[in-house]
């Protein structure tokens, strides 16, 4: 069986990555990797569905035991991708999507040069701000930090081959399907 692809999807907080991934995985050839994080769960987030929520000590044990393909710190919390799930699913022929930030994405690119690297852009910074405010999951201080971080993240775009402006969800999802088909 042909091994599944590895697809890295990055983009600033509020660019709509989660919604786009939710659409992509409606296709049974695709699945999304669930990350481990030391961030606290937001309202409605479920263990094993949105994230595996870990203490800092538990997260460090995952690193020490070599259980993560990559990890990074983002605004004071650790986030990382468990290796086993990704390998198992790819060996089953599934295309695995990693929805991760730019530092971890760079590490994936170094380890797996055949990964498809996609950067999702918001139509503008003001739209990004409106989306972050509209979803109501972060405090004004956290929104400010996420917007600052968005600007830093843009300096990493040289590590990506594909850029998609997420203006209209259907168009974005179709564009990403076409990118993956074309690889
Ligand atoms: P959030 O707190 O909004 O869920 O995620 C913050 C950032 O961490 C987002 O850019 C998200 O894509 C990224 N992220 C989530 N999981 C991982 C992971 O396993 N590794 C890395 N490097 N970043 C992740």
């Amino acid at each position: 069986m042909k091994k599944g692809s590895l697809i890295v999807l990055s983009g600033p907080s509020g660019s709509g990555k989660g919604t786009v991934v939710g659409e992509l995985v409606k296709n049974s050839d695709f699945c999304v990797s669930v990350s481990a994080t030391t961030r606290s769960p937001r309202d409605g987030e479920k263990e094993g569905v949105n994230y595996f929520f870990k203490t800092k000590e538990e997260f460090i044990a995952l690193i020490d035991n070599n259980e993560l393909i990559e990890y990074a710190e983002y605004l004071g919390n650790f986030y990382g991708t468990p290796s086993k799930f990704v390998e198992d699913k790819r060996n089953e022929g599934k295309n695995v999507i990693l929805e991760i930030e730019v530092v971890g994405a760079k590490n994936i690119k170094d380890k797996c040069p055949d990964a498809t690297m996609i950067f999702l852009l918001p139509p503008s910074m003001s739209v990004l701000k409106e989306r972050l405010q509209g979803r109501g999951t972060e405090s004004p201080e956290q929104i400010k930090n996420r917007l600052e971080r968005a600007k830093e993240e843009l300096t990493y775009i040289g590590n990506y081959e594909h850029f998609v402006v997420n203006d209209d969800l259907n168009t974005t999802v179709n564009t990403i399907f076409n990118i993956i088909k074309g690889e």
Side-chain angles (χ1 to χ4, degrees):
M1 183 190 285
K2 190 172 171 280
K3 195 170 174 178
S5 307
L6 187 59
I7 300 142
V8 173
L9 184 68
S10 301
S13 182
S15 57
K17 297 181 299 263
T19 314
V20 168
V21 169
E23 290 299 311
L24 293 172
V25 296
K26 285 183 183 166
N27 179 319
S28 61
D29 291 340
F30 290 79
C31 65
V32 63
S33 158
V34 177
S35 299
T37 184
T38 59
R39 164 165 85 57
S40 308
R42 294 182 188 133
D43 277 353
E45 283 188 333
K46 290 198 178 71
E47 168 71 16
V49 176
N50 304 94
Y51 282 107
F52 297 105
F53 295 99
K54 303 288 177 194
T55 62
K56 198 164 178 192
E57 291 67 31
E58 288 168 339
F59 197 95
I60 289 167
L62 292 178
I63 300 172
D64 290 346
N65 296 332
N66 250 332
E67 290 182 51
L68 302 176
I69 331 180
E70 64 74 34
Y71 68 93
E73 199 180 337
Y74 175 94
L75 300 178
N77 287 303
F78 287 112
Y79 295 79
T81 304
S83 327
K84 187 173 182 315
F85 175 89
V86 174
E87 268 318 293
D88 289 353
K89 291 292 173 187
R90 289 188 74 192
N91 288 335
E92 287 169 25
K94 293 250 187 197
N95 301 318
V96 181
I97 306 167
L98 308 185
E99 188 214 311
I100 61 176
E101 56 66 66
V102 292
V103 176
K106 163 93 176 64
N107 292 334
I108 291 286
K109 186 71 192 162
D110 292 343
K111 278 192 189 165
C112 315
D114 62 338
T116 302
M117 306 287 293
I118 304 175
F119 197 90
L120 196 62
L121 289 151
S124 68
M125 282 308 272
S126 55
V127 169
L128 192 67
K129 189 173 177 187
E130 278 164 26
R131 286 184 186 166
L132 282 172
Q133 286 169 338
R135 74 184 189 187
T137 47
E138 280 87 19
S139 67
E141 178 67 17
Q142 284 169 329
I143 291 176
K144 189 171 155 274
N145 291 340
R146 282 180 178 240
L147 288 170
E148 283 302 312
R149 175 71 183 217
K151 287 183 199 150
E152 275 170 48
E153 284 178 326
L154 291 176
T155 65
Y156 282 77
I157 57 172
N159 295 322
Y160 295 79
E161 295 118 21
H162 305 282
F163 306 96
V164 181
V165 177
N166 186 20
D167 205 348
D168 171 73
L169 181 61
N170 280 337
T171 312
T172 300
V173 169
N174 283 332
T175 307
I176 294 180
F177 274 132
N178 287 333
I179 290 171
I180 296 159
K181 257 193 261 160
E183 291 270 306

